[in-house]
């Protein structure tokens, strides 16, 4: 639509007219919510999504006005918050184990695999596998698989060179293939060994 205002226009205008930021919120909320909720689960997802937009609003002066879309910028913020969530969750689980309690299992990305396979064992293996890979690799994998971002958008979101993004995504897939059975790898959409990650 030719008359549609750009994200850059809305963000620049929001500096003097904060209500203009609603355009960005309305345009990108559903995709950010889907990414965050599928990453951390239905319990934490809504609050974390709200935090993404709160942080974006507070940092709106840092947005590059020459960017065609706020999507990579928002997903970069979301990815940082998801990474922090995983770290907090890891610390929480460690403390609960020290106290002799069994930590509750958040519902998240692993449940996408569950929907396809209806296997509890796969759910646990996928959850454990995601927790065990390095933060930077998991971050790229989640942006690619759940955020549906292109390599270029991920590079802008992080920020990182495209070659680094591809390398991290490849390493994440390789690690997950090693940690999961061949059936589980297929269920979560990992390419066959030797297949292209491009």
């Amino acid at each position: 639509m030719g008359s549609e205002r750009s994200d850059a226009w809305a963000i620049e205008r929001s500096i003097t007219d904060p209500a203009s930021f609603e355009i960005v919120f309305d345009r990108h909320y559903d995709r950010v919510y889907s990414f965050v909720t599928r990453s951390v689960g239905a319990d934490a997802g809504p609050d974390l999504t709200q935090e993404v937009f709160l942080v974006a609003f507070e940092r709106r002066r840092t947005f590059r006005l020459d960017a065609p879309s706020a999507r990579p910028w928002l997903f970069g913020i979301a990815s940082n918050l998801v990474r922090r969530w995983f770290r907090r969750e890891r610390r929480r689980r460690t403390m609960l184990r020290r106290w002799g309690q069994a930590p509750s299992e958040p519902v998240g990305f692993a449940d996408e695999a569950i929907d396809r396979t209806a296997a509890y064992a796969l759910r646990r293996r996928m959850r454990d596998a995601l927790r065990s890979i390095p933060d930077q690799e998991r971050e790229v994998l989640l942006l690619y698989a759940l955020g549906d971002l292109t390599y270029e958008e991920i590079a802008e979101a992080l920020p990182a060179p495209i070659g680094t993004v591809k390398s991290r995504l490849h390493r994440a897939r390789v690690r997950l293939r090693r940690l999961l059975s061949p059936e589980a790898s297929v269920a979560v959409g990992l390419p066959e060994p030797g297949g292209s990650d491009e």
Side-chain angles (χ1 to χ4, degrees):
M1 182 185 303
S3 64
E4 185 174 277
R5 302 292 191 177
S6 71
D7 290 342
W9 178 90
I11 291 170
E12 183 176 32
R13 185 177 173 91
S14 75
I15 292 169
T16 55
D17 175 21
S20 297
F21 197 80
E22 188 176 336
I23 293 170
V24 176
F25 180 88
D26 290 344
R27 190 172 287 158
H28 297 286
Y29 180 84
D30 289 344
R31 297 209 46 194
V32 172
Y33 173 81
S34 176
F35 166 72
V36 170
T37 301
R38 291 169 72 192
S39 297
V40 304
D43 291 340
D47 288 342
L48 206 58
T49 302
Q50 292 298 325
E51 190 176 348
V52 169
F53 285 94
L54 178 61
V55 169
F57 181 77
E58 290 171 350
R59 295 183 186 167
R60 66 194 186 280
R61 291 178 188 272
T62 68
F63 179 74
R64 282 185 30 239
L65 295 175
D66 62 334
S69 170
R71 183 176 167 215
W73 179 63
L74 291 168
F75 273 82
I77 294 168
S79 185
N80 284 335
L81 293 175
V82 166
R83 185 183 338 110
R84 287 183 204 152
W85 181 90
F86 269 102
R87 288 178 182 158
R88 285 193 308 267
E89 178 66 13
R90 204 165 25 238
R91 286 193 298 269
R92 181 187 74 84
R93 294 170 64 78
T94 300
M95 287 178 65
L96 287 173
R97 284 194 189 101
R98 283 184 191 151
W99 296 340
Q101 298 177 19
S104 61
E105 296 291 347
V107 179
F109 177 63
D111 295 300
E112 295 296 312
I114 284 302
D115 291 341
R116 291 189 288 265
T117 64
Y120 178 78
L122 173 58
R123 178 180 180 176
R124 180 170 290 275
R125 283 196 308 270
M126 187 63 192
R127 185 179 292 131
D128 291 345
L130 278 173
R131 284 188 184 129
S132 72
I133 67 176
D135 289 347
Q136 291 180 327
E137 293 174 16
R138 181 179 55 243
E139 184 173 50
V140 171
L141 178 68
L142 293 177
L143 285 169
Y144 184 79
L146 303 184
D148 199 28
L149 268 65
T150 65
Y151 293 135
E152 292 78 10
E153 288 172 326
I154 295 169
E156 187 178 338
L158 291 181
I162 289 179
T164 301
V165 168
K166 290 180 179 181
S167 175
R168 288 178 185 169
L169 181 59
H170 174 75
R171 286 195 307 266
R173 288 171 163 170
V174 168
R175 287 182 204 275
L176 287 180
R177 272 196 298 268
R178 287 182 187 145
L179 293 166
L180 299 171
S181 66
E183 297 79 18
S185 295
V186 170
V188 297
L190 294 174
E192 292 295 318
S196 172
D197 282 338
E198 296 301 312

